[in-house]
Amino acid sequence: MTESVPAPATPSQDAKSFADHLRAIEFDARMIGMIAALAAIWLGFNWLSGGAFLTPRNVWNLSVQTASIAVMACGMVLVIVTRNIDLSVGSMLGFVGMVTGLVQARLLPELLGFEHPATWLLAILAAIALGGLIGLFQGALIAYLAIPSFIVTLGGLLVWRGAAWWVTQGQTIAPMDSRFRPLGGGIEGAIGTTASWAIGLVICALILAGIAFARRRRKRYGFALRALWAEIVLAALACGTVIGAVMIANAYALPAGVARRLVEAKGGTWPEGGLVTGHGLAVPVLLALAVGIAMSFLARRLRFGRYVFSIGGNPEAAQLSGVNTRKVLMLVYGLMGMLVGIAACISTARLNAATNSAGQLDELYVIAAAVIGGTSLAGGVGTIAGAMLGALVMQSLQSGMVLIGVDTPLQNIVVGIVLVLAVWLDGLYRKRLG
């Protein structure tokens, strides 16, 4: 009798096995590619900067700088999904930010007095309302007058940039209300180590509950279930990312003088050997995460989100199915404007001033973030999480180049090349699927 010997696995079989593992996790291949690209960028800049890039201080500042771009990228996903574009978001941010500064530094103090408890809230509401109205106006021109979105928003890029200068004749407005400034991060905009750990643990609990709930719903309706090991891997990766982010935020220590004042203000005694107190998570980062979660829920769970993706997939079929495509498109631009209003508050609070230069080239970074994050310019495809990760990639590139001393013109060249490559790769990916 002869004993059969199994043939050695071929490279194609190994590759197929790895693909099967990825399919079991149900993780987007482009998302894995972005994470790998982000890791390469971080490690590369850390090496070029002599270890300065991956310090807690730089990573904390990087997250704060990403917040406003990430917020706008969430809205840009829906705009691009509908096969349109918005080139005016940077100029809108500058105009809304200038009006927001004018409201809280000049208008409200005359009505309510300086440092009134309601000033910061009224300023935020004014920014969101103004951004929403501008977005609705531009959306109406696109949807009801059938003017191409490229032309409308290109005109908006020029109009709102000029309007930002016209509001104050080019003057910078400062300072902002003390209750408004935490929206921009900094020492005032850090929530501390204890609150950061509490929020991190709550997020981990919600992640575990969400995975368990989704698995139970799939089982109830007879849908295919992920392998149990895949569920455990996803939960471990998500919770590990949250815990790691909290650890990095808490590792960035407050200046000794500031920490001492905080301890003494709470009635504590400053020890002789000093005390290391971490910043904790930044308010704008938490705000951006909240926006991302809300937008993901809107896009994936609500009827409005399904309408948006159906319009991007096939506008004629969506209209024949009874979807009011013009109304949905106008509302998408209105939502984009509201998110610009939130981003304007973050940007203005971070600078503690409203300036005419705010938002310059932000439209480039926002569109690039959405495209790098997997949003197809052909419409119908895109994820909020991918766009936020794309925003982190773009801001990492800019921050890393600043850290190693790259000139601004060369920074713009690199960003432009990355955008073109992202669109090219998106085309290759769609051809592969097709």
Side-chain angles (χ1 to χ4, degrees):
M1 294 178 64
T2 58
E3 191 174 16
S4 61
V5 179
T10 61
S12 60
Q13 290 174 328
D14 292 339
K16 183 178 180 181
S17 176
F18 180 71
D20 290 339
H21 286 310
L22 293 181
R23 196 176 299 111
I25 301 176
E26 297 183 10
F27 207 67
D28 189 358
R30 283 189 291 189
M31 188 73 73
I32 296 176
M34 276 193 297
I35 294 173
L38 182 63
I41 290 170
W42 282 14
L43 293 174
F45 280 125
N46 192 60
W47 176 69
L48 292 173
S49 63
F53 187 84
L54 289 179
T55 59
R57 175 182 179 179
N58 190 66
V59 174
W60 194 89
N61 288 326
L62 174 62
S63 67
V64 172
Q65 294 164 4
T66 305
S68 63
I69 298 296
V71 168
M72 291 189 289
C74 292
M76 189 61 72
V77 169
L78 300 187
V79 171
I80 297 178
V81 161
T82 60
R83 304 185 182 186
N84 289 282
I85 200 70
D86 193 341
L87 302 175
S88 66
V89 291
S91 297
M92 281 174 60
L93 185 145
F95 174 65
V96 173
M98 188 63 71
V99 173
T100 303
L102 187 68
V103 165
Q104 64 180 298
R106 298 184 185 177
L107 179 61
L108 291 180
E110 294 179 359
L111 300 175
L112 306 176
F114 285 97
E115 295 295 329
H116 191 277
T119 296
W120 70 279
L121 181 58
L122 292 175
I124 294 173
L125 293 176
I128 295 174
L130 178 59
L133 288 174
I134 293 174
L136 288 173
F137 173 69
Q138 294 188 154
L141 295 178
I142 296 166
Y144 290 96
L145 298 185
I147 305 175
S149 60
F150 183 90
I151 299 300
V152 171
T153 58
L154 179 61
L157 182 150
L158 302 173
V159 169
W160 307 122
R161 182 60 62 189
W165 183 92
W166 178 77
V167 168
T168 60
Q169 299 298 309
Q171 298 178 5
T172 296
I173 301 176
M176 299 294 102
D177 184 80
S178 61
R179 295 176 182 85
F180 180 83
R181 287 197 293 268
L183 291 175
I187 295 173
E188 297 173 322
I191 65 173
T193 56
T194 303
S196 297
W197 278 120
I199 291 176
L201 293 176
V202 169
I203 292 175
C204 287
L206 292 175
I207 289 172
L208 295 176
I211 291 176
F213 177 74
R215 185 176 182 86
R216 187 167 64 248
R217 287 192 64 187
R218 286 188 174 205
K219 187 175 182 180
R220 180 190 305 168
Y221 293 107
F223 294 158
L225 297 177
R226 287 194 191 103
L228 185 59
W229 67 265
E231 302 278 17
I232 295 174
V233 167
L234 286 176
L237 288 175
C239 292
T241 301
V242 172
I243 297 300
V246 174
M247 290 178 65
I248 292 173
N250 289 344
Y252 179 27
L254 291 168
V258 174
R260 181 170 185 172
R261 286 197 299 270
L262 292 176
V263 170
E264 293 176 348
K266 296 178 180 178
T269 303
W270 184 255
E272 293 183 1
L275 182 67
V276 178
T277 304
H279 278 71
L281 297 172
V283 172
V285 175
L286 294 175
L287 181 58
L289 290 175
V291 169
I293 293 171
M295 290 294 294
S296 294
F297 181 78
L298 181 147
R300 299 178 60 182
R301 300 294 182 185
L302 297 184
R303 183 183 301 174
F304 178 79
R306 292 195 291 270
Y307 286 169
V308 170
F309 279 88
S310 66
I311 291 172
N314 192 325
E316 293 79 10
Q319 189 169 10
L320 292 174
S321 300
V323 177
N324 190 339
T325 56
R326 291 187 294 184
K327 179 181 177 181
V328 171
L329 183 57
M330 186 180 72
L331 291 177
V332 165
Y333 274 91
L335 182 59
M336 179 76 251
M338 293 173 66
L339 294 179
V340 170
I342 295 174
C345 291
I346 294 174
S347 178
T348 304
R350 181 166 169 263
L351 295 174
N352 193 26
T355 65
N356 286 282
S357 61
Q360 287 187 354
L361 293 182
D362 274 10
E363 57 277 350
L364 169 64
Y365 285 94
V366 172
I367 294 171
V371 174
I372 290 174
T375 305
S376 174
L377 291 173
V381 177
T383 63
I384 303 299
M388 297 188 75
L389 187 57
L392 183 58
V393 170
M394 294 303 300
Q395 195 59 50
S396 297
L397 281 172
Q398 186 185 37
S399 178
M401 288 188 289
V402 170
L403 191 62
I404 63 177
V406 176
D407 294 334
T408 300
L410 185 55
Q411 293 179 31
N412 294 335
I413 291 173
V414 171
V415 172
I417 292 173
V418 169
L419 178 59
V420 173
L421 285 176
V423 176
W424 176 62
L425 292 174
D426 173 71
L428 290 180
Y429 185 80
R430 287 189 291 107
K431 286 181 181 178
R432 180 183 176 186
L433 293 180

